[in-house]
Amino acid sequence: MKKLAALMAALSCVFAFADTYPSKPISIVVPFAAGGPTDRVARDLAEAMRKPLGEVSIIIDNVLGAGSSIGSNKVAKAAPDGYTILLNHIAMASMPNLLRKMPFNVENDFEYLGMINDVPMTVIAKPSMPAKNFKEFRDWLNANKGKINLGNAGVGSASHLCGLMFQNAVQIDMASIPYKGTAPAMTDLIGGQIDLMCDQTTNTTTQIEAKKVLAFGVTTAKRLTTPALKDLPTLQESGLKGFEVTIWHGLYAPKGTPADVLAKINHALKVALKDPDFIKKQEALGAVVVTDKRVEPAEHKKFVAAEIAKWSPVIAAAKEYID
């Protein structure tokens, strides 16, 4: 009887906790630098999720480093109470292949909450690049083999992964220049210190529109409808057959977070993804808000498992790892 009473008391505490959640600010850990494309998605999403979560404060916590593993590990080891959650992108699929030693298991140490968006990538170059179209750009690449600097936001970042695939596609090795975030990489690209980069439209659209960088292609199968990018050809139509890279973002909680709490967060996410203001902000940057079954935790997890398998041979071929 004592054991039964103790069990009932524990369950009542769990239910009471779920009923009052959230009763204090929620922290969304972003494992990349403030001001970058993933940070921007997180801040827009946090604003859209506040109302369905009872106007609770949502704080963005930028914990960067080691291909997003430091911030991700912080969430994996956090108390499973719903007050510390992770917003990460395709790095959830690249980490198992990039890190020689994983401090956590991507598939087993998190509760999957749902996908947020799909973000196309753009191949962009310094403004002084002497090319007016993709053919001339590729001619320049061939003429400058061994001298090309390809920037990225750090090993394991979206720009790093896209850069690896681009090198494979054009069959030209380039010097990979990792930065501590997208912002400094973009600054050096605009200044001509590096030659090119492949980055998310959430970061490049404004720079392309302002003509601060040159754009030579998008990584989607079809052209984009975003006004600033609608005339930009796909890399596939420019001759790189089969080249398609889309960066996605998702939400995660520590393993063991109560089911009722997870359900509340997933509900808030679904409401946010239908918020007209959030959709408008994402579309303006070329991102597509997820409306399919990947908003469900089980489908989200299945999708990430498939992405891990997809990126494994690409990363293995590049032999670029994080110790």
Side-chain angles (χ1 to χ4, degrees):
M1 290 295 291
K2 288 183 179 180
K3 288 184 179 180
L4 179 60
L7 177 60
M8 294 300 291
L11 287 174
S12 66
C13 288
V14 169
F15 292 138
F17 174 78
D19 286 342
T20 59
Y21 175 86
S23 60
K24 63 180 181 180
I26 296 170
S27 175
I28 295 181
V29 174
V30 176
F32 299 100
T38 300
D39 177 74
R40 188 166 184 172
V41 171
R43 293 179 190 277
D44 289 344
L45 183 70
E47 183 60 31
M49 288 180 67
R50 283 184 67 248
K51 187 174 181 179
L53 284 171
E55 301 292 352
V56 67
S57 295
I58 301 179
I59 301 164
I60 304 301
D61 182 14
N62 298 95
V63 184
L64 55 155
S68 88
S69 65
I70 295 177
S72 300
N73 190 48
K74 179 177 180 177
V75 177
K77 302 298 191 294
D81 54 13
Y83 289 102
T84 304
I85 58 180
L86 171 69
L87 190 152
N88 203 351
H89 63 26
I90 199 170
M92 293 297 280
S94 66
M95 281 188 289
N97 297 305
L98 278 170
L99 271 68
R100 294 188 189 278
K101 294 181 179 180
M102 282 287 288
F104 54 86
N105 186 294
V106 166
E107 296 184 78
N108 298 328
D109 291 345
F110 294 96
E111 302 288 355
Y112 285 60
L113 291 165
M115 303 283 286
I116 302 164
N117 64 11
D118 291 307
V119 186
M121 307 285 282
T122 48
V123 173
I124 55 177
K126 60 186 180 183
S128 61
M129 174 70 64
K132 297 179 181 179
N133 52 52
F134 188 82
K135 181 183 181 304
E136 292 181 5
F137 176 55
R138 191 158 186 180
D139 288 343
W140 183 90
L141 293 175
N142 287 323
N144 287 274
K145 290 180 180 179
K147 299 184 292 183
I148 303 169
N149 292 321
L150 173 65
N152 62 63
V155 177
S157 66
S159 50
H160 173 236
L161 296 176
C162 187
L164 292 179
M165 187 167 280
F166 184 70
Q167 290 182 75
N168 287 343
V170 297
Q171 298 184 329
I172 297 175
D173 289 331
M174 306 175 194
S176 182
I177 312 297
Y179 286 80
K180 293 183 178 180
T182 300
M186 182 64 76
T187 297
D188 274 8
L189 183 67
I190 292 171
Q193 281 75 42
I194 55 177
D195 299 310
L196 61 144
M197 185 163 65
C198 182
D199 204 3
Q200 302 174 60
T201 56
T202 44
N203 187 55
T204 64
T205 301
T206 301
Q207 308 299 344
I208 293 170
E209 195 170 23
K211 301 187 186 305
K212 291 184 178 181
V213 296
L214 300 178
F216 290 102
V218 294
T219 64
T220 47
K222 297 180 179 180
R223 291 196 183 197
L224 304 178
T225 57
T226 309
L229 305 174
K230 63 182 178 64
D231 295 325
L232 198 59
T234 69
L235 293 180
Q236 291 196 47
E237 68 181 274
S238 294
L240 302 186
K241 301 301 181 183
F243 194 106
E244 185 175 356
V245 179
T246 301
I247 301 305
W248 41 267
H249 293 85
L251 277 183
Y252 311 83
K255 189 72 173 180
T257 301
D260 285 359
V261 172
L262 295 174
K264 285 189 175 184
I265 301 173
N266 178 257
H267 171 72
L269 172 63
K270 289 176 179 177
V271 172
L273 297 184
K274 294 179 181 178
D275 183 283
D277 189 49
F278 178 72
I279 294 171
K280 183 178 180 180
K281 288 177 180 177
Q282 295 298 294
E283 288 180 343
L285 297 169
V288 179
V289 174
V290 170
T291 58
D292 57 46
K293 59 186 180 181
R294 291 175 297 163
V295 299
E296 301 297 340
E299 293 297 329
H300 176 191
K301 188 171 184 178
K302 186 186 300 182
F303 176 80
V304 173
E307 287 286 284
I308 291 172
K310 170 185 173 180
W311 283 99
S312 178
V314 176
I315 294 170
K319 297 180 181 179
E320 293 185 19
Y321 302 102
I322 300 174
D323 291 320

